Amino acid sequence: MKSKSIILTLKGPLFLILIGVVLFTAYFRILIYSPLIKSGRLKSSDYFFQLRHQNYQIHAKDKLQPKDIVIVAIDETSYYNLKISRPWSREIFAGLLDRINQDGPKVIVLDINLFGQSGVSWGNPEIDQKFADAIKRCGNVVLLAFYGKEEGERLYFGPENMFVEASAAYGATGAVTDPDGLIRRLKIYSLVYNDKNPVNIAFEVKAALRYMDVPYDTFTNGGHFVTFKSKYREVNLPVDDKNRMLINYVSDFNDIKSVPVWKALDGNFPAKTFKGKLVLVCDTGKSFHDIHQTPFGYRAGGLVIANVLNSIISSNHIKEVDSGLAFSVVALLYVLCFIFFYRIEDALKGLLSLLVVIGVFLGVVFFLFMKYSIIWQPFDVLVLLPTLFFAMTLYRNQVERLVTDKINALANMDSLTSLYNYWYFLPAVNAAVEEGPFKPKCSLLTIKIVNIERISSDLDFEKSEGIHKKIGELLKAKAKEVKKSFASYLELGEFAIFLPRVDSGQALGIAGSVKDGIKNIDFNISEEHLNPVVAIGVSTLNPKSFPKTGDELIESAQFAAKRAEEIGPNKVCRYNPEIDGTEFARVIPSEDMQKISGEEYGPTAKILEQKNRGLVELLRRYIVQLKKTKKANVDTLYAVVEAQEKRDPPTGGHAKRTAGLVKKVGQKLKMPQDKLEILEEMTLLHDIGKINVPDEVLRKPGKLTDEERAVIELHTEASI
C-alpha cells in the first residue's frame, strides 16, 4: 500500500506542477545570473544580425550600403603602396585632410590616436602645428579620444589641446563590451575627467549629430530615450536603464563605400566621392591593433563606428523588448507547454510538438527583428522549453519504470508467501544455468509438504495459509544467506530454493538447516498430526551427465523429494540418477549410427516416419476440433451473458466492455495467451449472478430498500 501511495503521488498533477515550478524558479532565480546563461542570451541575438546580413546580401544589397558614409581606409594596401611603416607621421594625415577637404565633405571623423605630441620620434613638433592647421582649414573635423589603463587606473586620453582647439568637436568612444567580450552597445554619455562638465556625449554620437546639424550640448533623458533637438528636427536614441544604445550592425566593411588612404593622398578617386558625405578615416586592416569582437566576428573598431553613425543618421535603431514583457511571455509559454507536454505521453509526439513551438517562436522573433527592428533574445525559450520537455520525459519514464517494476513484482511474486511464483522461477533458473559462470557448482532444493492434503481439508483456510506464509518467510531468509540465490512457491505445498555457486555438500547442509527450521516453527496448531511434515530433495548440476539444464535440475530435485517422502517424515535426499531415474535423458545416435542406412534400419525408419505423420495429422485434427469446440463454448458464453443483460437494459454491453478492457491490460502485462483467454471469460461472467436477482428488484426504477439492496449484493457470491 505504501509503494502504491508513492506511485499515485508521483503520477499526480500537483507533483508535476511542483517539478515545473522548481525548474522555472531554478532557471530564473539562479541560472539566469550565471555567466554561461548571460553569454548564451547575448549570443543568441547575434545570429539574427548574421541572418539579416545574409538575407540582404541576396535580396536587398541597397540596405547594406550607408548612403551618407564613406570610409577612408587605413589598410594593408596603403602601407604597401606608401612604403611607410607604422606609426605614420601626422604630416601624412595633414595632407590627407587637405585632399579630402577639396572634395567638399560635410564632416570628417578621425578614428586615430592624437594623444600626446609628435616628439622627436615623430619628426618635429612643427608637424603637429601643420596638422592642427589642416584640421582648422577643414572646419568640420571630429576627433577621437579614448580611455586607457595605467597601473590599474582608468585614465582619459584626449587629443592635444592644439588639435582640440582646431577641431569642430571631440569625444571619447562610447563603445562598451558585454561580459562575453563582444561590442554590442554604445554609451551615450562618456565621462571626461579633464572637462568642467563631468558628462560628455560619446564621440560617435557627436559625429552623427554634427552631420545632421543637431546640437548635442543640450538634451533630455526621459523614459527609454535620450532626445536631441534642433529647430528643424528631433533625434531620439533608444537606451536601456544604463543609457546604453544597442548598435544596429547592418553593414560589414565590404558593404560600405571606401577609398584606401594611398589613393586619397594621390587624388585617385572620382570627383564628388566625398562631397556632402560623412567621411570616416579609420583602420580596416585585420593585422592592426584596433580589432574587436562583433556579431560579424573579429573586426576593426572602424566598423563599429560606421554602424553606429549609420544607425543614428538613418534613424534605423534596434529596440529591445521590455524585460518585464519578455519574462511574462516566456512564463506564459512555459505554462502552456507544461500543460501540453503533461497531456502528451508519447515522447516522439512531444518532441515534434517542442520543435514546432520553438520553430514558431523563432519565426515570430525573427519577423519582429526584420520588420520592426525589435530584438528579443530567444535563449531563454531555447533552453527552458527543451529542459522542461526532457525533464518531464525523463520523469515520466522513471515513473513508468517504477510502475512497471511494481507490476512485474506483482506478476512474479506470490502474494501469500512473498516468494517468486512458478512462472518466474522456471525461466529464471534456466537463464541462470545457461549463463555459464555457475557451472558446475549450482544446486537446487525442492521442499514438499507431505501432508498438505490433510492440512488443507482439516484446517480452516486462514491457518492453512499461515503455514505457507511462515515457511515462505523461512525460505526467504535462507535464500538471503547465499548470494544471488532465490526462493519460489511452486504450487500447493511445494517450494524451491535455487543456490548458485553451491556444491552438493553445501546444498545438503542448507537443506538440513531448512528442515530443522521448519520443525522449529510454531504454527499454532494444537493437533500434532496437522503440523507440516516435509520432504526435501537436493540436486546439483552435472555437466557431464545429468542434470545439465535448469529444467532437468528442477525435475531431478523433485525426484529426490519424492524418494525422501517414501523413506519417511522430514527426510532429506540427494538426487541419485541410478535410483531416481533420468526422465529427461535422451538417447542420441552417434554420428556413425546416423550414417548407417539400408536393410537393417531402413524399414524401421520408414514405419516410424509413417506413424509420425499419422500422429501429426491426428494432432492437427484435434487442434481444429478444439478450436471449433472452444468457439462454440465462447459463443454459448456470450449468449448467456447477453440473455442476462437483456434483463437489465441499463447495463447492456457492460460485461463485453469490461472484458475488452481487462484483455488490453493483460496484453500490456504480456500475459500468456491461454491465461489471457481465461481472464477474458472470467470477466464476461463477473455479473452472471444477477440471474438469481428477481426482475422486480433488478428493474426497479426507484430507490431500493435495505432488503432489496441486500438481495442485489448477493449477486457477486452467486457469480463466483
Side-chain angles (χ1 to χ4, degrees), residues 695-712:
D695 285 347
E696 61 267 22
V697 176
L698 190 64
R699 298 186 179 184
K700 183 178 179 179
K703 187 177 180 181
L704 298 175
T705 64
D706 291 341
E707 292 77 16
E708 290 169 340
R709 179 172 291 278
V711 172
I712 280 284

Side-chain angles (χ1 to χ4, degrees), residues 1 10 16 223 250 271 273 283 289 320 352 414 449 469 500 503 554 667-668 701 705 720:
M1 289 298 292
L10 292 176
L16 286 174
V250 176
T273 297
D283 283 340
H289 71 283
E320 285 187 282
L352 292 175
D414 174 63
I449 302 176
K469 190 173 182 179
D503 59 22
I554 296 172
Q667 289 171 339
K668 191 73 174 176
T705 64
I720 294 171

Side-chain angles (χ1 to χ4, degrees), residues 376-396:
W376 187 340
Q377 298 169 347
F379 185 78
D380 293 325
V381 172
L382 294 178
V383 170
L384 198 58
L385 294 190
T387 300
L388 172 66
F389 169 74
F390 288 114
M392 289 191 69
T393 302
L394 179 63
Y395 167 79
R396 185 178 284 115

Side-chain angles (χ1 to χ4, degrees), residues 679-697:
L679 182 64
E680 185 179 7
E681 292 168 7
M682 289 167 61
T683 310
L684 278 171
L685 293 171
H686 80 280
D687 273 343
I688 200 68
K690 286 184 179 179
I691 290 174
N692 289 347
V693 180
D695 285 347
E696 61 267 22
V697 176

Side-chain angles (χ1 to χ4, degrees), residues 2-21:
K2 187 176 179 181
S3 61
K4 182 179 179 181
S5 176
I6 293 172
I7 291 171
L8 289 174
T9 302
L10 292 176
K11 293 183 73 176
L14 289 177
F15 192 80
L16 286 174
I17 290 172
L18 178 62
I19 290 177
V21 170

Side-chain angles (χ1 to χ4, degrees), residues 29-274:
R29 291 293 183 186
I30 302 173
L31 296 178
I32 198 169
Y33 299 110
S34 71
L36 182 64
I37 297 295
K38 286 182 178 180
S39 176
R41 188 178 292 108
L42 292 169
K43 281 184 169 60
S44 65
S45 59
D46 293 344
Y47 292 108
F48 291 127
F49 290 99
Q50 298 168 16
L51 289 172
R52 181 182 64 181
H53 186 264
Q54 293 172 8
N55 181 62
Y56 284 174
Q57 286 277 17
I58 299 171
H59 303 291
K61 278 200 169 185
D62 58 310
K63 293 183 179 181
L64 296 174
Q65 184 174 1
K67 298 178 181 179
D68 303 284
I69 300 172
V70 178
I71 289 179
V72 174
I74 306 173
D75 58 2
E76 284 88 348
T77 63
S78 297
Y79 281 92
Y80 176 79
N81 284 280
L82 294 176
K83 295 183 172 31
I84 302 174
S85 61
R86 296 189 67 168
W88 284 352
S89 168
R90 290 172 182 168
E91 187 174 15
I92 294 176
F93 289 107
L96 178 64
L97 287 177
D98 288 334
R99 281 290 190 182
I100 295 172
N101 196 46
Q102 289 174 7
D103 205 38
K106 187 170 184 181
V107 175
I108 301 174
V109 180
L110 293 183
D111 178 24
I112 58 176
N113 178 14
L114 298 176
F115 174 71
Q117 298 179 358
S118 293
V120 177
S121 62
W122 287 68
N124 194 304
E126 295 178 358
I127 294 175
D128 286 350
Q129 187 60 51
K130 185 177 181 180
F131 181 50
D133 292 341
I135 294 172
K136 192 171 184 178
R137 281 194 298 274
C138 293
N140 57 357
V141 178
V142 179
L143 305 178
L144 171 69
F146 64 95
Y147 293 103
K149 285 187 177 182
E150 188 173 286
E151 295 181 0
E153 186 179 359
R154 190 164 181 258
L155 302 174
Y156 170 77
F157 298 95
E160 278 295 297
N161 288 335
M162 60 190 310
F163 303 145
V164 169
E165 293 170 0
S167 67
Y170 78 100
T173 179
V176 292
T177 57
D178 281 321
D180 61 347
L182 268 75
I183 296 179
R184 298 186 184 88
R185 300 174 186 272
L186 180 90
K187 290 176 67 175
I188 303 300
Y189 309 143
S190 183
L191 187 63
V192 180
Y193 289 98
N194 64 348
D195 239 356
K196 293 180 180 179
N197 186 359
V199 174
N200 203 353
I201 303 301
F203 157 74
E204 297 89 344
V205 178
K206 282 185 177 181
L209 293 177
R210 184 161 186 84
Y211 179 79
M212 301 167 72
D213 297 318
V214 175
Y216 49 78
D217 51 351
T218 58
F219 57 88
T220 57
N221 187 349
H224 295 290
F225 292 93
V226 175
T227 303
F228 301 88
K229 291 183 179 180
S230 71
K231 187 176 180 180
Y232 303 103
R233 68 190 304 177
E234 182 177 297
V235 177
N236 296 302
L237 304 182
V239 294
D240 60 14
D241 55 349
K242 295 181 180 179
N243 293 312
R244 299 178 304 178
M245 179 182 75
L246 270 174
I247 300 172
N248 189 5
Y249 284 98
V250 176
S251 309
D252 206 344
F253 272 128
N254 296 330
D255 307 314
I256 306 173
K257 187 175 182 179
S258 63
V259 178
V261 166
W262 67 274
K263 285 189 176 182
L265 286 169
D266 291 344
N268 186 11
F269 55 86
K272 299 184 179 180
T273 297
F274 305 124

